[in-house]
Each structure stands twice: as structure tokens, then as C-alpha cells.
């Protein structure tokens, strides 16, 4: 027995689970929404979406909530203290119960995606990973939506990333690996690298499509060309680092005006929130080559594409 009727819902838990074709479909649909080419309001009519954020969020939470409302769904928002998870109910039991009542659940937890994966064999309730400790898949989908919208294509683009190897970088590597003839060079501080297993997986996937994904710690290896310079906040969701001297290790990885001047015409991207003076100089993020607020807006358009793909 179930209060919901369909048995064909899909999930976005890890980008590893999406085929290149499915990824492209979501990106292209996000561009259509962003360009204002889609009539909205019927796609998720009569659907109920839960939005549960255990961790802070401005963009992702608002993007998925507004996306669901604009596509005709009704939304239940759960804050970090609202569910019985707080009093000891397991995530497994919570997901079991919610799947009998909701059509979809967008959730940001502090946990590994394993618990979400364990739930992926049910198709009653779509699950969308709005960021786990090791992957931020909907960020990468929104980013590639922005990049393809800006440049018209993905093939041939070269990206330089400076900063921590975190869940956004992992997702970016996994997403780019699905497309042909791209190049991304991640420059991360020593000991703050991308998860080696996920990086290796992305590199092997990319190689099949002539896409190169590399990680360096030595800034002398910065490439001569870049179409995009990307960074993220050094303290993801405000978390602190155990090493009291971590800032010293990160400082050389700041995206400066001087660095941007070496890449004429390169655009600047940042998943936000930003800390001006840490990972990026104010003149860069507030400069003419920065597209960070279009990038942020596209999270909402990409969220519509994700929800439609999962639940329509
Ligand atoms: N980029 C991003 O995920 O932003 P929020 O943490 O505000 O959702």
C-alpha cells in the first residue's frame, strides 16, 4: 500500500549513476528553463516534494523549493530540528516512511551518500542529493548548464580550478568526465585533495571521451590557457579545519586579479557562498568576467530540470 501511485521515479544521488545522455538531457532542459522557453506549472502538478536540509543552505534549498512550486508541486520543508531523526530514528526508517507519503525528497545531510544509495532501489519516492559529504551532484549539473549556455557547447573547453578538493570539485570531475574533449586541471593544496577513488573513476571515464581531468598541488604547473577559472569557499558549509595553520597552505590558491589577467577572456565561476579576500579577490568576483550570479540563478532552472527528470 502507498499513498502515491507511480512506480517509475528516478533519483539523482550520485553523478556516477547518470549516463552521459541523461546528464546532457538535464543540462539542455535547464538551459531551456533558463532561457524562458518553457511554459511552467503543469510538470509537477499534484506532486508533493519534501525538502529536508540538515545543513545550512541559501541557494540549493531555495532553488529546489522555488523550482517545485513553479512547476506546480506542493512542498513540505523540514528544517534541521524537525524530523524524529533528531530523537534517534534511523535515516533508513525515515526514508521508508517518507517514501509512502512523498513523491520526492531533496535532502542535504552531513552523511555519506551510502545511506541514500541504499534507498535507491525503491522508485516510489525520488531522492535528490542536495549535497553529501563527498558529492554535490546538483551543483555540477547547474554549473554545466551555465557553462553550456554561456559558450554554446562543452567540447573544447578548458577549466582551471583553484582551491580545496571538496564535494563540489568531485561532482565537477564526475560531470565533466561524461563529455568529450574537455580539460579540467584542479589545483588543490597538499592534503586537501579530491577523494582519490572518485578522481580516478572520473579520470578513467573522461579518458574514454578524450577528456582530461588532472589534479596538481604545484601552482607552477598552471596551464597557459583557460576558458573558465573556478573556485569554491575554503570552509564548506562553515566547517573548520583541524590544522590551525591551514590558511597558510590555502593562501597561494586564491584567485587573484593577477591570475585572471593571465587568462584573457576567461570567465570566473564560484558555487557560492563566497568569502572575498579568502578564495577570491573582490575585484575578480565583482568584476566583468564573473558570472557567479547567473551561475547561482541557474541552480533554480537546473533544479526544475532535475525534478522534472526525476518525477514527471
Ligand atoms: N552552492 C551551494 O550549494 O550553495 P548553498 O550552500 O547556499 O546551497
Amino acid at each position: 500500500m502507498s499513498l502515491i501511485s507511480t512506480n517509475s521515479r528516478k533519483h539523482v544521488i550520485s553523478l556516477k549513476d547518470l549516463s552521459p545522455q541523461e546528464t546532457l538531457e538535464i543540462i539542455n532542459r535547464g538551459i531551456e528553463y533558463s532561457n524562458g522557453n518553457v511554459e511552467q506549472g503543469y510538470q509537477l502538478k499534484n506532486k508533493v516534494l519534501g525538502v529536508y536540509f540538515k545543513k545550512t543552505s541559501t541557494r540549493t534549498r531555495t532553488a529546489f523549493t522555488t523550482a517545485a512550486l513553479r512547476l506546480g508541486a506542493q512542498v513540505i520543508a523540514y528544517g534541521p530540528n524537525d524530523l524524529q531523526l533528531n530523537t534517534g530514528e534511523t535515516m533508513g526508517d525515515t526514508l521508508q516512511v517518507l517514501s509512502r507519503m512523498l513523491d520526492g525528497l531533496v535532502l542535504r545531510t552531513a552523511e555519506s551518500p551510502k545511506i541514500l544509495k541504499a534507498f535507491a532501489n525503491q522508485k516510489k519516492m525520488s531522492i535528490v542529493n542536495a549535497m553529501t559529504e563527498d558529492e554535490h551532484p546538483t551543483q555540477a549539473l547547474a554549473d554545466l548548464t551555465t557553462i553550456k549556455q554561456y559558450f554554446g557547447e562543452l567540447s573544447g573547453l578548458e577549466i582551471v580550478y583553484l582551491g580545496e578538493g571538496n564535494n563540489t570539485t568531485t561532482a565537477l570531475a564526475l560531470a565533466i568526465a561524461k563529455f568529450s574533449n574537455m580539460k579540467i586541471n584542479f589545483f588543490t593544496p597538499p592534503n586537501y585533495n579530491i577523494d582519490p577513488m572518485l578522481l580516478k573513476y572520473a579520470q578513467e571515464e573522461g579518458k574514454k571521451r578524450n577528456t582530461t581531468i588532472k589534479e596538481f598541488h604545484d601552482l607552477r604547473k598552471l596551464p597557459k590557457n583557460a576558458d573558465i577559472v573556478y573556485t569554491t569557499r575554503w570552509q564548506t558549509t562553515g566547517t573548520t579545519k583541524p590544522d590551525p595553520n591551514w590558511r597558510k597552505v590555502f593562501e597561494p590558491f586564491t584567485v587573484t586579479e593577477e591570475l585572471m589577467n593571465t587568462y584573457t577572456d576567461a570567465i570566473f565561476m564560484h558555487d557560492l557562498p563566497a568569502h572575498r579576500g579568502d578564495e577570491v579577490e573582490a575585484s575578480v568576483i565583482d568584476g566583468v568576467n564573473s558570472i557567479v550570479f547567473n551561475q547561482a540563478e541557474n541552480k533554480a532552472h537546473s533544479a526544475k530540470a532535475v525534478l522534472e527528470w526525476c518525477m514527471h
Side-chain angles (χ1 to χ4, degrees), residues 67-132:
L69 292 170
R70 289 188 200 284
L71 297 189
Q74 297 187 63
V75 176
I76 302 174
Y78 305 104
N81 303 316
D82 291 343
L83 295 173
Q84 296 289 15
L85 282 163
N86 273 29
T87 60
E89 189 166 23
T90 66
M91 181 64 89
D93 284 357
T94 304
L95 292 175
Q96 277 287 354
V97 171
L98 294 181
S99 75
R100 309 273 179 129
M101 303 178 190
L102 297 173
D103 298 286
L105 179 67
V106 175
L107 72 170
R108 173 173 288 187
T109 69
E111 352 226 334
S112 145
K114 277 195 195 121
I115 186 76
L116 308 187
K117 280 247 179 217
F119 213 69
N121 58 3
Q122 63 75 35
K123 290 186 172 16
K124 288 193 287 232
M125 176 178 74
S126 290
I127 295 187
V128 176
N129 174 3
M131 195 172 99
T132 40

Side-chain angles (χ1 to χ4, degrees), residues 133-153:
E133 65 177 0
D134 53 3
E135 198 181 327
H136 196 355
T138 63
Q139 182 65 48
L141 289 169
D143 290 344
L144 290 198
T145 300
T146 302
I147 292 170
K148 187 162 188 266
Q149 184 183 39
Y150 185 90
F151 289 97
E153 59 182 340

Side-chain angles (χ1 to χ4, degrees), residues 186-194 215-220 253:
F186 292 100
F187 286 83
T188 59
N191 302 320
Y192 294 95
N193 47 288
I194 303 172
E215 184 177 37
F216 304 90
H217 302 306
D218 183 351
L219 289 161
R220 287 171 300 185
F253 293 83

Side-chain angles (χ1 to χ4, degrees), residues 56-61 108 136 139 271-273 299:
T56 54
S57 168
T58 297
R59 277 144 291 275
T60 315
R61 181 174 174 166
R108 173 173 288 187
H136 196 355
Q139 182 65 48
D271 63 347
L272 304 178
K299 286 192 65 128

